[in-house]
Amino acid sequence: MNAPMSIQSCGNCGLVSMCLPLALTQPEMTQLDGIIKKSAPYRRGESIFRQGDAFTSIYAVRAGMVKTTVVNTLGEEQITGFYFPGELLGLNGLHENVYSGTAIALETVSLCEIPFLKLDELSALLPELRRQLMRQMSQEISDEQNMMLVLAKTSAEEKLGNFLIRLSLRFKRLGFSATQFRLTMSRVDIGNYLGLAVETVSRTLTKLQQRGVIKVAGKEITILDMDGLSGLNRKADEPAKLVVVG
Amino acid sequence: MNAPMSIQSCGNCGLVSMCLPLALTQPEMTQLDGIIKKSAPYRRGESIFRQGDAFTSIYAVRAGMVKTTVVNTLGEEQITGFYFPGELLGLNGLHENVYSGTAIALETVSLCEIPFLKLDELSALLPELRRQLMRQMSQEISDEQNMMLVLAKTSAEEKLGNFLIRLSLRFKRLGFSATQFRLTMSRVDIGNYLGLAVETVSRTLTKLQQRGVIKVAGKEITILDMDGLSGLNRKADEPAKLVVVG
DNA sequence: GTAAAACATTGATCCAGATCAATGGTTGGA
DNA sequence: TCCAACCATTGATCTGGATCAATGTTTTAC
């Protein structure tokens, strides 16, 4: 007998150590499983939720990558994040019961949908669930604040270096190669997120390649010199490590 | 008999409608009061907490204004926010039990210190407290995301216009004039926050004054034309309203 | 009250990245 | 398989804001 529910539960998910069920006991995890809905896969380009829609659920990414955006009243769009498996979407929708941004699949994506009202009730009963939810929100606040520094203070090369290092760390955390990975997002998206023109993204990737710190083959990136990548534009006597977001 | 505790409680605080006790009943508010510590005033320039310190409490601003900053490993500092009365500090410290930024008083400041372990326990018992805490965190995530758009996409004039409008809204919310207020932060701080050089801040304020949309007298700002201020750099046929953070 | 320090403003010059243009490569649908 | 649309790269030129310099004003400490 094929039991789809037992195949796809928090208890046997490879992402437990970075997702909501972290630190839950097995019976507690079963309770959380009881409120989670597994979604059908989203295809590349599909919206998971849209800015302005009523807020109902948060979503944990199970597979694939997602970008989030905000649009101002002039229609100007800013990418606010790229989300990996184990990361939560929709945390910015609670205050007005409206999603304050849009989430879009960058490739085929599977999600766990967690209706927020039920999550809220369960969080009263399970202290570790409540705390982990708050930690995830706190992490996101901190990530966005560090991103403010990147946007306000760093050169194009530093921005790209920082971006690639962050991707590298998250691929590594998921068990993939830290030094060779495929970008799911376009150069236009990278530029949008980092506040750079697409031409500057392209140019700067080429420049980093000419310096020998990375190798670029279309969407494939190979990091050849991790220290070199984090030390971009550093003066010779300065420490070589950039703060890394996420 | 002077009873300091009864003078300073959530029940009779003018900031209830924008702070944690929002939506609590009177007995619930008494419970919250029981875990809050009132701090002695902080003087201008004093740190409330520092990046890297162990996370113990969040703080609600009772009077005065506070700025928060993050510093990267190169010592580069980015101001991440200006906080008004009724707003919460320290929400970015939960994930690592370390404050991920520093909070500094911009003038004489009074705070309510809320030890987080106690708040967490109480939030299990008081659903509305738990929800309001989450709403505050969600609001902050959203604010930072909108700030990313400002930093990445807008001109110096638009940045200043947006900044002044946001200040205006928060002064108004506190019962002060929406059109005439005194800046507590220096031009250098404004520039740091918006990713601009201090000279550009000064120049742009002068330019806005020459256009007649504001009047600048040192730290005093008078908004003469609110629509003009939000319509900076707009093409003639475009709507005139910028998205406003916070 | 005074002097030093800090802050704000203005002018001149410079430059990192944006914009515009053109070309080559990749992807998706028929 | 072919073609249109989209994406990525490269070159040339432009520009908004940074940097440097100088001066005026305000605040702070003694």
Side-chain angles (χ1 to χ4, degrees):
Chain A
M1 177 92 87
N2 294 335
M5 292 306 284
S6 66
I7 292 180
Q8 304 181 9
S9 70
C10 297
N12 60 22
C13 179
L15 301 167
V16 162
S17 62
M18 58 194 78
C19 193
L20 272 182
L22 176 74
L24 295 188
T25 63
Q26 191 64 28
E28 288 172 339
M29 236 179 261
T30 305
Q31 283 181 282
L32 180 55
D33 265 323
I35 68 170
I36 292 180
K37 308 184 200 170
K38 305 300 197 263
S39 70
Y42 288 80
R43 277 171 303 176
R44 177 179 161 77
E46 277 192 287
S47 301
I48 293 152
F49 53 77
R50 290 171 178 274
Q51 187 169 340
D53 286 354
F55 173 76
T56 53
S57 306
I58 64 173
Y59 298 81
V61 184
R62 209 162 67 241
M65 274 173 63
V66 176
K67 74 177 175 180
T68 56
T69 64
V70 298
V71 175
N72 69 11
T73 51
L74 304 175
E76 286 172 315
E77 181 182 70
Q78 172 69 29
I79 295 178
T80 48
F82 296 101
Y83 292 77
F84 275 64
E87 294 169 15
L88 297 184
L89 303 173
L91 295 177
N92 58 4
L94 281 66
H95 56 298
E96 290 180 346
N97 279 305
V98 171
Y99 290 105
S100 61
T102 296
I104 298 163
L106 287 173
E107 59 192 340
T108 304
V109 165
S110 299
L111 301 168
C112 299
E113 179 183 350
I114 309 160
F116 193 73
L117 288 183
K118 294 186 179 174
L119 180 62
D120 182 50
E121 287 167 14
L122 199 53
S123 76
L125 303 176
L126 310 183
E128 268 310 311
L129 179 63
R130 183 173 68 242
R131 289 177 199 134
Q132 180 60 10
L133 179 57
M134 293 212 183
R135 281 192 285 261
Q136 295 258 13
M137 293 180 93
S138 173
Q139 179 76 63
E140 180 144 358
I141 290 169
S142 188
D143 291 346
E144 319 283 26
Q145 286 174 345
N146 282 303
M147 195 61 204
M148 281 167 67
L149 188 151
V150 170
L151 285 168
K153 297 273 185 305
T154 64
S155 67
E157 284 181 31
E158 289 168 305
K159 283 173 177 170
L160 257 302
N162 178 284
F163 178 71
L164 292 176
I165 287 170
R166 276 187 286 144
L167 288 187
S168 167
L169 284 172
R170 287 144 96 192
F171 276 115
K172 181 179 178 184
R173 194 167 58 159
L174 291 170
F176 296 111
S177 169
T179 55
Q180 188 166 353
F181 44 84
R182 185 175 165 278
L183 302 175
T184 50
M185 72 297 287
S186 65
R187 305 292 201 265
V188 168
D189 276 355
I190 296 171
N192 179 304
Y193 179 60
L194 299 177
L196 301 173
V198 60
E199 293 90 346
T200 305
V201 173
S202 204
R203 257 185 261 280
T204 308
L205 287 175
T206 301
K207 199 192 292 189
L208 295 183
Q209 176 160 247
Q210 282 160 2
R211 287 195 188 188
V213 292
I214 62 170
K215 179 170 166 246
V216 182
K219 300 276 196 175
E220 281 282 329
I221 300 284
T222 306
I223 298 180
L224 302 173
D225 176 8
M226 189 69 76
D227 287 340
L229 195 54
S230 46
L232 297 171
N233 280 332
R234 294 306 103 196
K235 295 176 216 153
D237 61 345
E238 287 188 343
K241 194 69 178 162
L242 286 180
V243 67
V244 175
V245 182
Chain B
M1 175 93 86
N2 294 337
M5 292 307 286
S6 65
I7 293 179
Q8 304 182 11
S9 70
C10 297
N12 60 20
C13 178
L15 301 165
V16 162
S17 62
M18 56 194 78
C19 193
L20 272 181
L22 175 75
L24 294 190
T25 63
Q26 192 63 28
E28 289 174 337
M29 237 180 261
T30 305
Q31 282 182 281
L32 180 56
D33 264 323
I35 69 171
I36 291 178
K37 308 184 203 171
K38 306 298 195 268
S39 70
Y42 289 78
R43 277 171 304 177
R44 177 180 160 78
E46 278 192 287
S47 301
I48 293 153
F49 52 78
R50 290 170 179 274
Q51 186 169 341
D53 287 356
F55 172 78
T56 54
S57 307
I58 65 173
Y59 298 81
V61 184
R62 210 163 67 242
M65 274 175 64
V66 177
K67 74 177 177 183
T68 55
T69 65
V70 296
V71 175
N72 69 11
T73 52
L74 304 173
E76 287 172 315
E77 180 182 70
Q78 172 70 29
I79 294 176
T80 49
F82 296 103
Y83 292 78
F84 276 63
E87 295 171 16
L88 298 184
L89 304 171
L91 296 177
N92 57 5
L94 281 65
H95 56 297
E96 291 181 344
N97 278 306
V98 171
Y99 290 105
S100 60
T102 296
I104 298 162
L106 287 173
E107 59 192 338
T108 304
V109 165
S110 300
L111 302 166
C112 299
E113 178 182 351
I114 309 161
F116 193 73
L117 290 182
K118 293 185 179 174
L119 180 61
D120 182 50
E121 289 167 13
L122 200 51
S123 75
L125 303 176
L126 308 185
E128 268 309 310
L129 178 64
R130 184 173 68 243
R131 289 177 197 133
Q132 179 60 9
L133 178 57
M134 296 218 179
R135 282 192 284 262
Q136 295 259 9
M137 293 178 94
S138 172
Q139 179 75 65
E140 181 143 356
I141 291 169
S142 188
D143 291 347
E144 320 283 25
Q145 285 173 345
N146 281 303
M147 196 60 205
M148 282 166 66
L149 188 153
V150 170
L151 285 170
K153 298 272 185 304
T154 65
S155 66
E157 284 182 31
E158 288 168 305
K159 284 173 178 171
L160 257 301
N162 177 284
F163 178 72
L164 292 175
I165 287 171
R166 275 186 287 145
L167 288 187
S168 166
L169 284 172
R170 288 143 93 192
F171 276 117
K172 180 180 178 184
R173 195 168 56 159
L174 290 171
F176 297 112
S177 168
T179 54
Q180 186 166 353
F181 43 85
R182 187 175 163 278
L183 303 174
T184 50
M185 71 298 286
S186 65
R187 306 294 203 262
V188 167
D189 277 354
I190 296 172
N192 179 301
Y193 179 62
L194 298 176
L196 301 173
V198 60
E199 293 91 345
T200 304
V201 172
S202 204
R203 255 184 262 280
T204 306
L205 287 176
T206 302
K207 198 192 290 189
L208 295 183
Q209 175 161 247
Q210 282 161 358
R211 287 194 190 191
V213 293
I214 62 172
K215 180 170 165 244
V216 182
K219 299 275 193 176
E220 281 284 328
I221 300 284
T222 305
I223 298 179
L224 301 174
D225 178 5
M226 190 68 77
D227 287 339
L229 194 55
S230 47
L232 298 170
N233 281 332
R234 294 305 105 198
K235 293 175 218 155
D237 61 346
E238 289 189 340
K241 195 70 177 161
L242 287 178
V243 67
V244 175
V245 182

